[in-house]
């Protein structure tokens, strides 16, 4: 199969923690070609290039930097990604890891230069943008995949199988939570995670909205979200906490709490989990996923915050770099699997010569529903659009009309 070159746009936390190590490994095992990364300025690129954990894991590997690393750090190039895309041959892969509101223009730019797209979640901020992306991608036979990595957690896949085999019955009520660390407030988040742009529900709550539909196949039809505002260290105001109530097409309800506020002193890297109840044949069923205690805890300085904790619960499931039968360290976990599967899709489509069969292959991926694509995960855009309106209107519920793909506050 042809190797694809990959251009990552954005050089922040998710690139450091998951995307670059995954791509370096795929490069090392011969699955992809050159890797380049474009950020607005060189500061994050230098951090990536000099990251001790990345250097230790991938000795001798490097990426092409836009702008070049010797560019002064105070020089900003918000439009440079357009030039970086032009350096790719047609039908390579653009991996978008920008703040949410920049996904759409970057995807359009990638399409203008015939590039496949992998994008961190959420793909875009409106259903209208998503529909346009789907249409262009199909016309050009380009793959678009959304990196919803929780889908590749074995527990999600097993729950999907068991639900669809009828073992649980029908989802009726549940609760999900994902509280990200307090120290995020000191990161680049303070520059873009403002009330007008994002909130914890659309940032991380969307993972569980996606997962509940991934498991059950039930579409969300409405949501009410309330938020609590606090100031970032730089004075910008953001919603630091949110509570959402999601309504499903069968009358089911999911309560979702989110925040940027898991204590830095706390025993985990964040707090997350899911509990779902089901109506079954003359009984009920339950699925409980405590995603905090994974059976391993350490008493060492916590890796990221360097704060000394008595016990620190280790997440061995999402993403870890571990020794393997090769140089450096190897990425493992569903964060890696998700990227590996997305890259496989890009290659699979372009391994087909015939235009119609290429389209059929893209549609096959849509229909299987394991990889999130615009066609099979559009409910996420609709629910996030409702959520944004709702939180800005203090929790007024918004509903989706799936016949017309419109929203209302009926
Ligand atoms: N669990 C998940 O799936 C998950 C987790 C974290 C982040 N994300 C998503 O990843 C995206 C980025 O999040 P992050 O945490 O890495 O944010 P971040 O703020 O750490 O990084 C954003 C990066 O984008 C770069 N950037 C901004 N404007 C740019 C421009 N015009 N051109 C080039 N680069 C530009 C910045 O330099 C920075 O490197 C968001 O969409 C977020 O929702 C997903």
């Amino acid at each position: 199969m042809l190797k694809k070159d990959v251009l990552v746009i954005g050089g922040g936390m998710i690139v450091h923690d998951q995307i670059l190590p995954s791509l370096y490994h795929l490069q090392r095992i011969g699955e992809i070609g050159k890797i380049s990364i474009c950020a607005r300025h060189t500061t994050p690129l230098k951090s990536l290039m000099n990251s001790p954990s990345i250097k230790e894991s991938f000795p001798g590997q490097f990426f092409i930097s836009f702008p070049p690393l010797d560019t002064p750090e105070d020089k900003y190039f918000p439009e440079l990604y357009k030039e970086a895309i032009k350096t790719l041959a047609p039908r390579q892969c653009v991996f978008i890891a920008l703040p949410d509101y920049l996904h759409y223009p970057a995807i359009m730019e990638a399409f203008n230069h015939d590039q496949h797209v992998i994008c961190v979640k959420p793909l875009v901020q409106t259903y209208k943008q998503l529909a346009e992306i789907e249409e262009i991608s199909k016309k050009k036979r380009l793959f678009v995949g959304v990196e919803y990595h929780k889908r590749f957690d074995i527990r999600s896949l097993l729950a999907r199988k068991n639900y669809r085999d009828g073992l649980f019955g029908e989802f009726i009520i549940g609760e999900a939570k994902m509280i990200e660390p307090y120290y995020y407030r000191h990161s680049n988040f303070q520059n873009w995670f403002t009330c007008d742009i994002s909130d914890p529900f659309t940032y991380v709550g969307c993972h569980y909205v996606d997962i509940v539909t991934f498991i059950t196949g039930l579409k969300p039809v409405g949501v009410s979200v309330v938020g609590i505002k606090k100031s970032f260290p730089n004075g910008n105001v953001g919603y630091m906490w949110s509570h959402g109530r999601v309504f499903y097409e069968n009358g089911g309800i999911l309560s979702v709490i989110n925040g940027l506020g898991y204590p830095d002193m706390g025993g985990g890297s964040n707090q997350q989990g899911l509990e779902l109840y089901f109506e079954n044949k003359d009984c009920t069923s339950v699925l409980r996923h405590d995603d905090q205690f994974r059976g391993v805890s350490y008493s060492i300085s916590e890796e990221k915050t360097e704060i000394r904790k008595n016990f620190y619960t280790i997440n061995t499931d999402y993403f870890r770099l571990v020794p393997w039968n090769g140089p450096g360290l190897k990425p493992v976990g569903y964060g890696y699997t998700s990227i590996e599967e997305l890259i496989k899709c890009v290659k699979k489509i372009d391994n087909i010569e015939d235009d119609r069969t290429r389209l059929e292959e893209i549609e096959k991926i849509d229909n299987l529903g394991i990889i999130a694509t615009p066609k099979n995960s559009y409910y996420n855009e609709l629910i996030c659009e409702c959520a944004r309106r709702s939180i800005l209107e203090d929790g007024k519920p918004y509903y989706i009309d799936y016949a017309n793909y419109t929203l209302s506050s009926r």
Side-chain angles (χ1 to χ4, degrees), residues 356-371:
R356 208 176 50 207
T357 322
R358 262 189 186 165
L359 181 60
E360 282 168 13
E361 188 59 45
I362 297 176
E363 287 171 345
K364 225 187 267 174
I365 297 168
D366 287 338
N367 294 336
L368 276 171
I370 299 296
I371 302 270

Side-chain angles (χ1 to χ4, degrees), residues 93-109:
C93 179
V94 173
F95 201 135
I96 294 164
L98 292 162
D100 302 359
Y101 67 101
L102 292 171
H103 295 179
Y104 173 74
I107 293 168
M108 285 299 148
E109 199 61 30

Side-chain angles (χ1 to χ4, degrees), residues 11-14 40 78 98 100 103 120-121 149 188 192 203 207:
M13 182 189 68
I14 191 80
R40 233 174 356 159
L98 292 162
D100 302 359
H103 295 179
V120 292
K121 60 82 215 156
H149 45 248
N188 188 41
W192 65 271
Y203 178 58
H207 273 299

Side-chain angles (χ1 to χ4, degrees), residues 29-197:
I29 60 173
E31 290 294 320
I32 61 169
K34 281 186 290 199
I35 299 170
S36 30
I37 306 184
C38 177
R40 233 174 356 159
H41 63 138
T42 48
T43 312
L45 296 165
K46 283 185 183 166
S47 307
L48 290 171
M49 197 64 95
N50 299 323
S51 156
S53 69
I54 295 181
K55 273 175 39 183
E56 180 195 4
S57 307
F58 306 98
Q61 288 184 255
F62 64 92
F63 60 85
I64 300 159
S65 174
F66 294 93
L69 289 180
D70 56 2
T71 310
E73 293 192 33
D74 58 355
K75 294 248 174 323
Y76 280 70
F77 305 91
E79 304 276 300
L80 183 64
Y81 71 86
K82 297 182 180 171
E83 300 308 311
I85 292 174
K86 285 186 197 156
T87 66
L88 295 172
R91 302 191 73 86
Q92 304 303 299
C93 179
V94 173
F95 201 135
I96 294 164
L98 292 162
D100 302 359
Y101 67 101
L102 292 171
H103 295 179
Y104 173 74
I107 293 168
M108 285 299 148
E109 199 61 30
F111 282 168
N112 287 340
H113 297 277
D114 286 325
Q115 301 300 331
H116 298 283
V117 170
I118 298 175
C119 187
V120 292
K121 60 82 215 156
L123 182 64
V124 280
Q125 295 187 295
T126 66
Y127 175 78
K128 192 165 171 267
Q129 292 172 341
L130 175 134
E132 189 185 350
I133 288 167
E134 212 230 318
E135 196 188 330
I136 299 173
S137 69
K138 292 276 160 64
K139 215 179 273 171
K140 295 194 164 208
R141 310 314 198 230
L142 292 168
F143 173 71
V144 177
V146 197
E147 206 279 298
Y148 276 104
H149 45 248
K150 279 196 181 295
R151 289 180 173 213
F152 288 90
D153 186 331
I154 291 168
R155 287 158 295 208
S156 308
L157 292 161
L158 190 61
R160 179 180 164 103
K161 178 180 178 341
N162 287 337
Y163 188 90
R164 288 165 193 233
D165 285 349
L167 301 186
F168 283 116
E170 183 183 0
F171 165 66
I172 200 68
I173 205 157
E175 59 184 9
K177 66 172 168 266
M178 193 188 296
I179 313 291
E180 292 291 40
Y182 178 84
Y183 68 79
Y184 276 19
R185 298 190 194 184
H186 288 270
S187 74
N188 188 41
F189 272 58
Q190 53 191 315
N191 296 318
W192 65 271
F193 199 85
T194 45
C195 295
D196 54 324
I197 291 177

